[in-house]
Amino acid sequence: EVQLLESGGDLVQPGGSLRLSCAASGFTFSTYGMSWVRQAPGKGLEWISSIAGSGGGARYVDSVKGRFTISRDNSKNTLYLQINSLRADDTAVYYCAKRIIAGPTYFEHWGQGTLVTVSS
Amino acid sequence: EIVMTQSPATLSVSPGERATLSCRASQSVSDNLAWYQQKPGQVPRLVIYGASTRATDFPARFSGSGSGTEFTLTVSSLQSEDFAVYYCQQYDSWPLTFGGGTKVEIK
């Protein structure tokens, strides 16, 4: 059974940094690309970043380019999202999701999410 | 960026009735379109992929259709557990984009 467990969400001041983690199990982690999707309170879903199984091919939505960095450690079956220069509009639940195929894809498996709150 | 537009924003339907949700893409996405269901406080669940292929967890009353720029999710006879927000997502090109959602509520 595929399991994805995010952690690292917290209350952070504007301009601060945070690193989110997603621990994966139940599948061969290094074989699959992974993604981060976020959802602001009461709002819709927003894809923000994806990475290939090898750790290459990182992609980002324009609104986070230069501030967010996706990475992974295949030896630990863990996906990361480094978030810098946090802004109030980054407040959201951050989900990790397993990609189905290489390239653009839909998401069959999602984690439970971790809440990031940016406020002074 | 491909913009996904869902309509209506809210759909009020009585249990047992049919619900028809629409999703429009700003340019063709072929059949690279997925639908998700999300209930309050829960994680999104994949309902449809490839525009019309139903995910394993969902019963036959859920169906998807369309290609190119116009897509429809139909729930043939709404059950109490189907009241939720539904999102469409295109995966034809980067960046991946979602529609704003349609809330299906009890009439």
Side-chain angles (χ1 to χ4, degrees):
Chain A
E1 179 190 3
V2 172
Q3 292 195 348
L4 302 169
L5 183 61
E6 302 92 337
S7 61
D10 204 349
L11 171 62
V12 185
Q13 291 190 340
S17 297
L18 211 54
R19 188 176 82 158
L20 307 183
S21 299
C22 171
S25 61
F27 64 102
T28 305
F29 184 66
S30 61
T31 301
Y32 289 90
M34 298 292 292
S35 295
W36 289 96
V37 177
R38 69 181 178 183
Q39 186 170 35
K43 302 298 184 182
L45 301 167
E46 179 185 31
W47 169 82
I48 53 174
S49 185
S50 291
I51 189 169
S54 63
R59 293 183 180 268
Y60 303 90
V61 69
D62 283 350
S63 61
V64 309
K65 282 180 182 176
R67 298 190 302 123
F68 290 17
T69 302
I70 191 171
S71 63
R72 61 192 295 159
D73 185 338
N74 287 343
S75 69
K76 295 182 179 179
N77 288 354
T78 302
L79 174 73
Y80 302 101
L81 186 68
Q82 178 69 40
I83 309 175
N84 299 328
S85 304
L86 276 159
R87 313 185 304 218
D89 62 357
D90 293 320
T91 294
V93 174
Y94 286 72
Y95 297 102
C96 68
K98 173 178 167 287
R99 290 164 65 178
I100 301 296
I101 56 172
T105 184
Y106 57 92
F107 304 108
E108 185 176 14
H109 297 101
W110 299 64
Q112 290 299 309
T114 188
L115 176 61
V116 173
T117 303
V118 183
S119 175
S120 55
Chain B
E1 172 179 320
I2 298 175
V3 177
M4 306 301 293
T5 303
Q6 291 187 241
S7 61
T10 303
L11 187 61
S12 298
V13 184
S14 299
E17 290 188 341
R18 173 187 297 260
T20 302
L21 290 65
S22 295
C23 176
R24 173 177 293 177
S26 61
Q27 63 191 74
S28 177
V29 299
S30 186
D31 62 352
N32 297 311
L33 191 284
W35 290 93
Y36 301 88
Q37 177 195 73
Q38 188 179 35
K39 299 178 182 179
Q42 296 188 18
V43 178
R45 295 173 62 202
L46 178 69
V47 182
I48 297 284
Y49 60 94
S52 61
T53 302
R54 195 171 58 250
T56 53
D57 290 348
F58 282 83
R61 65 179 181 270
F62 288 86
S63 63
S65 64
S67 67
T69 62
E70 300 284 342
F71 300 89
T72 300
L73 174 68
T74 301
V75 187
S76 60
S77 177
L78 273 164
Q79 305 299 303
S80 58
E81 62 267 28
D82 302 333
F83 292 94
V85 178
Y86 292 83
Y87 296 95
C88 62
Q89 178 226 332
Q90 68 82 18
Y91 53 97
D92 190 71
S93 64
W94 303 103
L96 307 179
T97 48
F98 290 86
T102 291
K103 180 180 180 181
V104 179
E105 64 176 23
I106 299 175
K107 185 174 182 180

